[in-house]
Amino acid sequence: MKEIKYLSNTENDLEIAALLLKNGEIVGIPTETVYGLGADATNADAVRKIFEVKGRPSDNPMIVHICDMDMLREYADDIPTVVYRLAEKFWPGPLTMVLSKRSNIPDVVSAGLDTIGLRMPDNEATLKIIKNLGRPVAAPSANKSGYPSPTTAQHVYDDMNGKIAAVVDAGPCTVGVESTVISFEGYDSVRILRPGYITPEQLRTVVDDVVVDNSITSDEPVNVQEVRSPGMKYKHYSPKARVILVREGLEMFKKYVSQQSDENAYSLIFDYDVPDFPYKYMTYGSTPEEQAQQIFAKLREADKMGIETLYVRAPRKEGVGLAVYNRLIRAAGYEVVES
């Protein structure tokens, strides 16, 4: 395939992107979370191309992106009433809801499951592409499978040049980690399958009972029998560098780093750690929101710098920090250090 074509978020270029999708091509699309590899979700052959170019396991379902509530009703079945309350509060936005799918969504999209994750992204460019296409867009993250997700069009180019038709460049993603994924377990009960920018506390303002899946909070791998959501795999979001997640305060973190012998190692620390940190470092923000926005870009930067080992200061497992921790523990393959 030819070199990837850069498209802007102008009306003309967004029409070109939609036309490429109509013709069965794969297009990198921007969202507020990460860039996605978009295909017409009703075109099974196009969706299979995504699995091929990503090297994605066939048992890993894709999220389907829609542009309005009519599209939700057209492609989902048996929609609980609470879905409409959640959509009113959080859509467009980084929330994916796992629902029964209609037959107009091919099984390849859902990895053979009878459910599908649906969301309405908070990105005007992609909403216009979907509207121009007139059909939903299946879009996992636009990276090589298992590698850190892309948060800029350049990241998509680095991973997908020569493999897909185009990428729509709408600037850096504002959220930086993938959407929160929830399933429904009763009249007013949801289970978080993957943490994201929408926190359990926010969901509880709408739903009485919010359960966080034990695969999210565990510091050890949990055997997931059925992958109902992307991001539930054991190792994911991982750079070439060896990532070691260190759950310590700053003083203990410094002590741990001082005892390591790897010369080609860096630490990934919080911005406010810098004045008291004497070793080679990168930073990834001060707040959980900043850490979410920066984490994937920093993991990719570590590889560009040729770093072999990256010691990472672990965020707290609360609020948006839970999503950051979830990505990091998988990037580290559950290699965690604490006293």
Side-chain angles (χ1 to χ4, degrees):
M1 184 176 283
K2 295 180 181 179
E3 184 174 1
I4 193 170
K5 181 180 179 65
Y6 269 95
L7 299 173
S8 68
N9 58 356
T10 61
E11 292 289 343
N12 182 66
D13 277 7
L14 297 180
E15 289 177 3
I16 292 172
L19 182 59
L20 288 168
L21 292 171
K22 283 181 182 178
N23 291 335
E25 299 288 354
I26 309 301
V27 177
I29 59 172
T31 77
E32 78 280 26
T33 57
V34 301
Y35 273 73
L37 275 185
D40 177 352
T42 67
N43 184 334
D45 289 337
V47 172
R48 288 189 188 97
K49 290 181 186 178
I50 294 179
F51 283 98
E52 292 170 8
V53 300
K54 274 183 68 77
R56 184 183 179 90
S58 60
D59 66 344
N60 201 358
M62 295 187 187
I63 290 172
V64 172
H65 297 69
I66 60 177
C67 64
D68 55 39
M69 296 303 289
D70 287 339
M71 201 170 273
L72 169 71
R73 288 182 283 267
E74 185 176 354
Y75 292 93
D77 203 6
D78 298 325
I79 303 171
T81 304
V82 68
V83 167
Y84 294 98
R85 301 205 313 267
L86 289 163
E88 183 177 3
K89 185 171 181 67
F90 298 115
W91 278 4
L95 178 67
T96 295
M97 296 190 261
V98 176
L99 300 166
S100 297
K101 77 177 183 73
R102 292 186 181 273
S103 59
N104 49 11
I105 295 290
D107 286 345
V108 65
V109 179
S110 62
L113 301 175
D114 58 5
T115 57
I116 193 69
L118 291 158
R119 93 171 182 101
M120 192 185 300
D122 189 13
N123 183 281
E124 285 298 323
T126 288
L127 290 174
K128 287 178 181 176
I129 291 171
I130 298 169
K131 185 175 181 179
N132 290 341
L133 176 63
R135 293 187 288 276
V137 172
S141 55
N143 57 301
K144 293 174 287 189
S145 185
Y147 198 63
S149 300
T151 53
T152 68
Q154 181 62 50
H155 293 161
V156 181
Y157 181 91
D158 292 343
D159 283 14
M160 294 294 154
N161 188 32
K163 297 180 180 180
I164 65 174
V167 59
V168 177
D169 188 351
C173 299
T174 55
V175 169
V177 293
E178 297 85 352
S179 60
T180 303
V181 180
I182 60 173
S183 62
F184 297 88
E185 304 204 329
Y187 172 74
D188 209 32
S189 178
V190 303
R191 176 177 294 271
I192 299 177
L193 302 177
R194 181 181 72 185
Y197 207 73
I198 304 299
T199 66
E201 294 77 15
Q202 289 174 299
L203 290 170
R204 290 188 182 105
T205 64
V206 179
V207 182
D208 287 341
D209 184 33
V210 177
V211 177
V212 178
D213 195 88
N214 64 355
S215 66
I216 291 170
T217 56
S218 175
D219 285 339
E220 297 181 355
V222 174
N223 184 24
V224 179
Q225 298 295 330
E226 182 180 76
V227 180
R228 292 181 290 162
S229 163
M232 295 182 76
K233 293 285 189 178
Y234 163 74
K235 190 168 185 179
H236 205 39
Y237 318 111
S238 187
K240 297 173 185 174
R242 177 189 179 192
V243 175
I244 300 175
L245 193 59
V246 184
R247 292 185 58 184
E248 298 286 7
L250 181 58
E251 291 306 313
M252 291 300 294
F253 182 86
K254 288 192 293 185
K255 182 178 179 181
Y256 173 79
V257 172
S258 72
Q259 294 170 343
Q260 307 311 305
S261 59
D262 188 348
E263 293 184 1
N264 194 12
Y266 270 67
S267 296
L268 186 58
I269 60 176
F270 308 140
D271 288 5
Y272 50 76
D273 294 337
V274 170
D276 298 314
F277 199 77
Y279 309 104
K280 293 182 292 186
Y281 67 86
M282 303 162 61
T283 65
Y284 73 121
S286 296
T287 67
E289 291 77 15
E290 291 172 353
Q291 291 155 11
Q293 202 276 334
Q294 296 180 35
I295 186 57
F296 289 138
K298 294 296 184 177
L299 293 178
R300 285 172 171 266
E301 185 180 338
D303 278 352
K304 285 194 173 182
M305 293 171 62
I307 295 170
E308 293 180 0
T309 306
L310 190 64
Y311 309 115
V312 183
R313 276 261 275 154
R316 293 182 178 179
K317 294 192 286 184
E318 56 188 42
V320 179
L322 178 62
V324 182
Y325 187 92
N326 172 264
R327 303 319 189 263
L328 282 170
I329 201 167
R330 282 165 169 74
Y334 287 85
E335 188 170 359
V336 181
V337 172
E338 60 183 333
S339 57

